[in-house]
Amino acid sequence: MCLAVPGKVTEIFEDNGIKMGRIDFSGNKQQACLSCLPEVKVGDYVIVHAGFALNILDEEDALETLDIFRQMV
């Protein structure tokens, strides 16, 4: 089973010509490839799986999902 986790884009940059971003997952910041989402902006919430941002979420849905994850642990 795979789990894609929502996170907030805090920075966008290029690495060897590839659009990358720093994503904040409730305080844990990781890099992810943003090349699949050319329209993504700093402040957007994205779904990330295996290091790739796959979809942009609205903030309400992202926060609701994160709240459900917190309730599970």
Side-chain angles (χ1 to χ4, degrees):
M1 180 174 86
C2 297
L3 179 64
V5 178
K8 188 173 187 175
V9 179
T10 60
E11 179 184 353
I12 296 175
F13 57 94
E14 274 197 26
D15 187 6
N16 292 318
I18 298 172
K19 186 175 183 177
M20 299 291 292
R22 188 160 312 282
I23 316 299
D24 183 349
F25 299 99
S26 299
N28 184 13
K29 295 183 180 172
Q30 300 288 322
Q31 288 186 22
C33 180
L34 301 177
S35 63
C36 294
L37 301 172
E39 70 279 15
V40 72
K41 305 176 301 299
V42 170
D44 285 345
Y45 281 85
V46 294
I47 291 289
V48 176
H49 175 69
F52 291 86
L54 303 175
N55 197 12
I56 299 173
L57 291 177
D58 67 44
E59 185 173 8
E60 183 180 340
D61 288 342
L63 295 176
E64 182 180 344
T65 300
L66 291 170
D67 186 49
I68 290 168
F69 285 160
R70 278 187 213 98
Q71 292 176 31
M72 293 170 50
V73 293

